[in-house]
């Protein structure tokens, strides 16, 4: 081989080695970046972990906070509000009852016909948008529109019944805004949310405003019950099953209520009810405990929210926030590595990834996770993601969902512990009483909300956690039942069970 040939061979060899070195270097750097992301996911999973020991600590904390909230106003993060509902539907109700649900820019009107023996003979519902201009006008204009819509509904669904023919009909009113309840059928608006700004309504009795509007429209109907979604869900549950003692709503937002003994409501001395009990609206979204597995992503989400240091439990378990927690994790990984390709500005947009989209990725069972790829592209502008990265996204969704469901389960068992339905006897006046398993009663918790009813993996994780916390001896006695439309049907049922009372059954001496 001549000198020229030898030189070329050496040059080629050197070039090949250099190329190989570059390729090896790239593979090493790529591998390092991948393992950096995997390590970040492991750290997140560890910070968000919910072993049963931690869940039982949350159970105890929930029960203690409930007791503190019943002992004094402001004594707990849990408001533990009196609803003045002491008479839940028992299935014997009969007749035609109406309900209004005002909870956003759309509202609903319902009519149900109850036939006794836990039966519903008829059910009509109409959804109607509230004109945008009414969200900022006067209370009179707003409630006149509601009353007129109800009048038209009554006439249409009643085969052109005249208003005089529905004289004295009882109405349930679900008003999903912060209200200080003063009786089963009265309550003052604390503040507006969800884009409403009718200034002259604040601190007014919302039932009185509605009742006056009904009179102006010629409808002689009686608002027999003012309720929120969770109380309505409990009403539906108790209508079908007398062992229903609590209700939980887990959807876009979350709340819970339960039936408490009147003598345990210490902050209201001298409270008397004919039934000896009262439904308590916990407002459990504001629950907080050092035992909750809070991560850096939760801290950032809270700091950037419209209500920092508020609704801590809700921000970890409700549909409003789960998708955004997943977005934050993906965003952090995308900043630390190029596994998602060039950084997408969409990852910096709060709430761009909704919880329903997160659930769709989590439940994608296609071999190539095509739904995950589609959502990443269409929602986050992240393209051509390798299969292993799509699997990573599914894992992130799983960590967030599993934590939310298991914490919600701990909250439910916390309620059961407070009222002695978890097998320990619960907390009564600060004491823990033991109960022999032979005395355990069947206990039903009514559950409503899209996270539980429509998100199969969430429901599975929640049910598993309840059984795990309670243990195999107690778990068979606790049943979680899906209840539909507590905010509508439940309100009408409460109107029925509180209908035509001549004497107030709740008194404060």
């Amino acid at each position: 081989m001549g000198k020229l040939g030898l030189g070329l061979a050496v040059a080629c060899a050197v070039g090949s080695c250099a190329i190989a070195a570059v390729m090896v270097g790239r593979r090493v750097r790529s591998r390092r970046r991948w393992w950096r992301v995997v390590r970040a996911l492991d750290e997140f999973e560890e910070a968000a972990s919910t072993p049963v020991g931690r869940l039982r600590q949350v159970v105890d904390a929930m029960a203690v906070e409930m007791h503190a909230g019943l002992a004094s106003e402001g004594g707990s993060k849990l408001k533990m509000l009196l609803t003045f509902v002491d008479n839940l539907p028992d299935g014997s109700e009969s007749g035609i009852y109406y309900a209004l649900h005002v909870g956003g820019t759309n509202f609903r009107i319902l009519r149900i016909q109850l036939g006794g023996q836990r039966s519903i003979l008829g059910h009509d519902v109409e959804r109607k948008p509230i004109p945008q201009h009414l969200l900022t006008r006067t209370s009179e204009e707003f409630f006149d529109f509601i009353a007129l819509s109800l009048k038209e509904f009554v006439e249409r669904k009643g085969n052109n019944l005249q208003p005089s023919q529905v004289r004295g009909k009882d109405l349930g009113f679900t008003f999903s805004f912060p209200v200080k309840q003063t009786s089963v059928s009265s309550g003052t608006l604390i503040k507006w949310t969800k884009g409403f700004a009718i200034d002259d309504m604040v601190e007014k009795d919302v039932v009185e405003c509605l009742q006056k509007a009904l009179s102006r429209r010629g409808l002689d109907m009686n608002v027999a019950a003012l309720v929120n979604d969770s109380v309505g869900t409990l009403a539906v549950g108790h209508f079908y099953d007398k062992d229903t003692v609590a209700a939980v709503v887990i959807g876009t937002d979350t709340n819970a209520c339960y039936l408490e003994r009147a003598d345990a409501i210490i902050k209201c001395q001298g409270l008397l009810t004919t039934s000896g009990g009262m439904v308590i609206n916990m407002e459990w979204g504001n629950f907080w405990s050092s035992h909750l597995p809070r991560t850096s992503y939760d801290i950032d989400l809270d700091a950037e929210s419209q209500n920092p240091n508020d609704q801590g439990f809700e921000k970890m378990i409700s549909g409003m926030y789960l998708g955004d927690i997943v977005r934050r994790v993906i965003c952090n990984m995308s900043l630390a590595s190029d596994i998602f390709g060039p950084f997408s500005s969409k990852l910096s947009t709060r709430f761009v990834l909704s919880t329903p989209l997160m659930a769709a990725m989590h439940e994608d069972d296609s071999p190539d996770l095509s739904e995950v790829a589609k959502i990443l592209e269409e929602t986050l502008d992240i393209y051509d993601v390798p299969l292993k990265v799509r699997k990573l996204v599914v894992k992130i969704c799983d960590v967030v969902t599993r934590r939310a469901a298991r914490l919600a389960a701990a909250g439910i068992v916390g309620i059961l512990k407070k009222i002695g339905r978890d097998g320990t006897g619960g907390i009564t006046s600060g004491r823990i009483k033991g109960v022999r398993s032979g005395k355990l009663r069947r206990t039903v918790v009514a559950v409503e909300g899209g996270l539980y009813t429509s998100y199969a993996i969430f429901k599975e994780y929640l049910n598993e956690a309840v059984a795990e916390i309670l243990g195999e001896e107690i778990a068979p006695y606790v049943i979680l039942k899906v209840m539909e439309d507590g905010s509508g049907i439940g309100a009408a049922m409460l109107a029925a069970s509180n209908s035509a009372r001549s004497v107030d059954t709740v008194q404060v001496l």
Side-chain angles (χ1 to χ4, degrees):
M1 181 182 295
K3 290 183 178 180
L4 180 59
L6 181 60
L8 288 172
V10 170
C12 287
V14 171
S16 297
C17 288
I19 292 170
V22 170
M23 292 177 66
V24 168
R26 286 177 178 172
R27 281 197 294 269
V28 169
R29 286 193 296 274
S30 177
R31 193 175 294 116
R32 284 175 179 168
R33 288 191 294 268
W34 170 251
W35 285 112
R36 191 183 307 141
V37 168
V38 171
R39 188 162 56 250
L41 177 57
D42 289 342
E43 290 171 355
F44 173 57
E45 185 174 15
E46 176 62 27
S49 66
T50 50
V52 69
R54 171 174 272 177
L55 293 180
R56 287 187 175 129
Q57 289 175 319
V58 174
V59 167
D60 292 343
M62 179 68 80
V64 169
E65 286 297 308
M66 290 171 68
H67 181 76
L70 292 173
S72 63
E73 292 292 349
S76 166
K77 281 274 194 179
L78 296 175
K79 291 185 173 65
M80 305 300 285
L81 301 174
L82 278 66
T83 66
F84 297 88
V85 173
D86 73 316
N87 187 36
L88 286 166
D90 60 11
S92 65
E93 295 80 7
S94 62
I96 294 175
Y97 298 90
Y98 291 83
L100 288 172
H101 178 210
V102 179
T105 53
N106 291 283
F107 78 104
R108 293 184 306 149
I109 309 170
L110 299 95
R111 184 184 77 156
I112 63 172
Q113 182 175 0
L114 303 176
Q117 299 181 329
R118 304 189 187 279
S119 65
I120 298 178
L121 302 180
H123 174 211
D124 294 303
V125 61
E126 181 177 290
R127 292 170 175 82
K128 197 166 184 177
I130 299 173
Q132 193 69 28
H133 71 277
L134 290 180
L135 306 187
T136 56
R137 297 290 279 273
T138 67
S139 58
E140 185 171 311
E141 290 175 288
F142 175 75
F143 279 106
D144 273 352
F145 171 76
I146 300 294
L148 177 60
S149 300
L150 174 60
K151 179 180 179 181
E152 292 171 347
F153 175 87
V154 168
E155 292 172 350
R156 186 167 53 255
K157 295 298 181 181
N159 296 318
N160 296 315
L161 281 175
Q162 296 304 308
S164 60
Q165 293 177 273
V166 295
R167 186 178 304 279
K169 287 295 183 184
D170 287 299
L171 178 71
F173 184 26
T174 303
F175 190 70
S176 300
F177 298 92
V179 167
K180 181 181 180 182
Q181 199 111 5
T182 50
S183 77
V184 70
S185 59
S186 62
T188 57
L189 176 66
I190 298 171
K191 64 178 180 179
W192 285 109
T193 57
K194 308 173 188 177
F196 283 71
I198 304 171
D199 293 338
D200 72 334
M201 263 294 296
V202 177
E203 297 185 359
K204 279 188 177 180
D205 185 334
V206 296
V207 172
E208 183 180 343
C209 290
L210 174 59
Q211 202 75 66
K212 287 180 178 178
L214 294 176
S215 295
R216 286 194 297 270
R217 292 296 181 181
L219 269 181
D220 181 17
M221 299 180 78
N222 172 57
V223 182
L226 174 66
V227 301
N228 71 16
D229 295 6
S230 63
V231 177
T233 300
L234 178 58
V236 177
H238 201 270
F239 177 86
Y240 287 114
D241 193 324
K242 62 181 176 58
D243 291 327
T244 305
V245 297
V248 176
V249 176
I250 316 174
T252 303
D253 50 15
T254 184
N255 195 14
C257 69
Y258 73 104
L259 188 59
E260 179 61 273
R261 295 189 342 270
D263 62 1
I265 308 172
I266 302 169
K267 65 183 177 182
C268 196
Q269 294 288 345
L271 179 66
L272 295 177
T273 68
T274 55
S275 67
M278 180 182 288
V279 176
I280 297 295
N281 169 18
M282 293 174 61
E283 292 294 331
W284 85 345
N286 205 40
F287 168 68
W288 185 253
S289 165
S290 60
H291 299 300
L292 294 174
R294 199 183 198 200
T295 69
S296 60
Y297 303 104
D298 301 301
I299 293 171
D300 291 342
L301 183 151
D302 179 60
E304 296 172 18
S305 70
Q306 294 180 334
N307 55 341
N309 300 313
D310 197 23
Q311 298 297 103
F313 195 49
E314 180 170 81
K315 288 171 181 172
M316 299 177 82
I317 71 171
S318 79
M320 173 68 75
Y321 301 100
L322 300 190
D324 201 56
I325 296 172
V326 170
R327 175 196 65 83
R328 289 171 183 275
V329 178
I330 294 174
C331 180
N332 182 61
M333 291 179 172
S334 189
L335 288 169
S337 169
D338 62 356
I339 65 166
F340 290 99
F343 182 79
S344 168
S345 61
K346 285 284 189 72
L347 285 171
S348 300
T349 305
R350 294 174 60 222
F351 300 108
V352 68
L353 181 65
S354 68
T355 297
L357 289 175
M358 180 209 78
M361 292 196 295
H362 192 192
E363 297 187 323
D364 184 0
D365 57 2
S366 62
D368 61 348
L369 297 177
S370 57
E371 186 67 17
V372 174
K374 179 183 177 183
I375 291 171
L376 290 176
E377 289 182 8
E378 294 180 354
T379 306
L380 298 175
D381 287 346
I382 297 175
Y383 301 91
D384 302 321
V385 176
L387 181 58
K388 71 174 183 178
V389 178
R390 294 178 219 170
K391 291 180 178 178
L392 188 89
V393 170
V394 173
K395 179 64 176 176
I396 296 168
C397 296
D398 188 72
V399 171
V400 172
T401 299
R402 179 178 171 83
R403 181 186 69 167
R406 289 173 68 81
L407 289 178
I412 290 170
V413 179
I415 297 172
L416 302 184
K417 183 180 182 69
K418 169 64 182 69
I419 60 176
R421 296 292 191 109
D422 71 327
T424 67
I427 294 180
T428 307
S429 301
R431 300 188 303 276
I432 297 179
K433 296 183 178 181
V435 173
R436 291 191 301 273
S437 60
K439 292 186 177 180
L440 282 172
R441 290 175 290 173
R442 179 175 176 273
T443 296
V444 177
V445 178
V447 187
E448 188 181 7
L451 272 183
Y452 190 80
T453 60
S454 303
Y455 192 175
I457 297 176
F458 184 97
K459 180 178 181 178
E460 179 183 340
Y461 280 156
L462 190 151
N463 290 347
E464 285 179 352
V466 167
E468 189 178 348
I469 299 166
L470 291 172
E472 60 183 17
E473 184 179 352
I474 311 300
Y477 292 91
V478 175
I479 299 99
L480 304 185
K481 277 190 177 182
V482 172
M483 295 296 161
E484 297 292 343
D485 197 12
S487 59
I489 295 176
M493 288 178 172
L494 282 166
S497 61
N498 288 278
S499 174
R501 291 189 173 189
S502 57
V503 179
D504 193 344
T505 60
V506 180
Q507 299 178 43
V508 180
L509 300 182

